[in-house]
Amino acid sequence: MTLSVGSPVAGRVVSLTEVPDPVFAQAMVGPGIAVEPDRVAADVVSPVDGTIVTLHPHAFVVATESGAGVLVHLGIDTVKRKGEGFTLHVVKGETVRAGQAVVSWDPAEVEAAGFSPICPVVALDAPADSLGEFSEGATVAVGDQLFSWQR
Amino acid sequence: MADEKAEKILAALGGASNIIEIEPCITRLRCELEDGSVVDEKALKALGAHGVMRQGNVVQVIVGPEADTIASDIEDLL
């Protein structure tokens, strides 16, 4: 089956290699793409239907029923914000629909604090050739497809 | 089994006495160590780490999404 992975944020889609963090740029935890978010306060939504299996203020993983894990990371090194500026709308273990608000944040505030607000969206442990239809270079709204994942 | 993995990771990081702080961040363990030079990168990779990044005594071990679980298993051993 093909899983469509939607954008958790509005912005401009760029290659994962543009993320200023080697873990993401070198796809160490899986292939994917990144979104340079619009610099306005916004809700971050789930990219797929599934369950919130990992939840931090600045990052989360949604696992689909078939076990596909999609990681959304809000900015780089933002763990150092200790949750400041992030408002969670779900709890760990909660079932979510694609497009459902998970957390609110303000990319402009993150940037002003000295962090890159870029958002890597990663297909955890996926073979690189299982992803396709990348929307790299596109300007996306929340929920627009970022890539498809053959499973 | 999981605890055994945590034990081995702890050993590869130089043991409990070398740990100042371990903080999980979704895909990685951020480890602040007394001495970063003693870290056994080969052992960490053999234990399934996708990568190890060193910046002096701050060593990040990329373990994937189970980072939270591993970190709390290691905390239990400290």
Side-chain angles (χ1 to χ4, degrees):
Chain A
M1 63 166 259
T2 303
L3 179 67
S4 176
V5 176
S7 188
V9 296
R12 187 173 55 86
V13 183
V14 298
S15 163
L16 209 51
T17 58
E18 287 186 34
V19 177
D21 181 300
V23 176
F24 296 115
Q26 295 170 25
M28 284 188 204
V29 289
I33 208 159
V35 185
E36 192 58 75
D38 293 343
R39 303 300 198 256
V40 289
D43 284 344
V44 178
V45 308
S46 179
V48 292
D49 291 345
T51 305
I52 303 280
V53 290
T54 306
L55 184 63
H56 289 261
H58 69 286
F60 59 91
V61 176
V62 186
T64 67
E65 217 170 38
S66 67
V70 180
L71 165 69
V72 176
H73 206 281
L74 303 173
I76 299 308
D77 286 335
T78 39
V79 65
K80 293 179 187 157
R81 298 286 290 154
K82 307 252 181 236
E84 195 186 335
F86 297 92
T87 307
L88 291 171
H89 302 300
V90 297
V91 293
K92 188 178 169 184
E94 191 167 331
T95 304
V96 292
R97 306 290 297 177
Q100 182 176 337
V102 173
V103 54
S104 303
W105 73 320
D106 185 346
E109 184 191 319
V110 167
E111 190 168 47
F115 299 92
S116 164
I118 197 166
C119 300
V121 179
V122 174
L124 290 172
D125 294 327
D129 61 4
S130 65
L131 305 193
E133 301 180 81
F134 288 102
S135 58
E136 197 175 322
T139 298
V140 289
V142 162
D144 286 356
Q145 179 174 297
L146 288 180
F147 56 85
S148 62
W149 186 354
Q150 289 291 341
R151 303 220 352 117
Chain B
M1 198 55 204
D3 284 352
E4 196 178 304
K5 185 173 179 180
E7 242 168 64
K8 286 179 178 163
I9 290 176
L10 184 58
L13 290 171
S17 63
N18 198 36
I19 309 289
I20 297 172
E21 197 182 10
I22 290 192
E23 187 179 31
C25 174
I26 289 248
T27 59
R28 66 188 87 178
L29 304 171
R30 291 168 179 270
C31 312
E32 201 187 329
L33 305 176
E34 294 283 354
D35 180 1
S37 68
V38 303
V39 170
D40 187 343
E41 205 169 317
K42 259 190 201 158
L44 289 170
K45 287 193 171 157
L47 288 163
H50 300 276
V52 177
M53 292 190 298
R54 303 156 175 262
Q55 293 166 299
N57 291 331
V58 176
V59 175
Q60 298 193 23
V61 185
I62 318 310
V63 291
E66 65 269 33
D68 290 4
T69 315
I70 293 174
S72 71
D73 286 348
I74 292 176
E75 293 283 343
D76 290 347
L77 298 172
L78 296 180

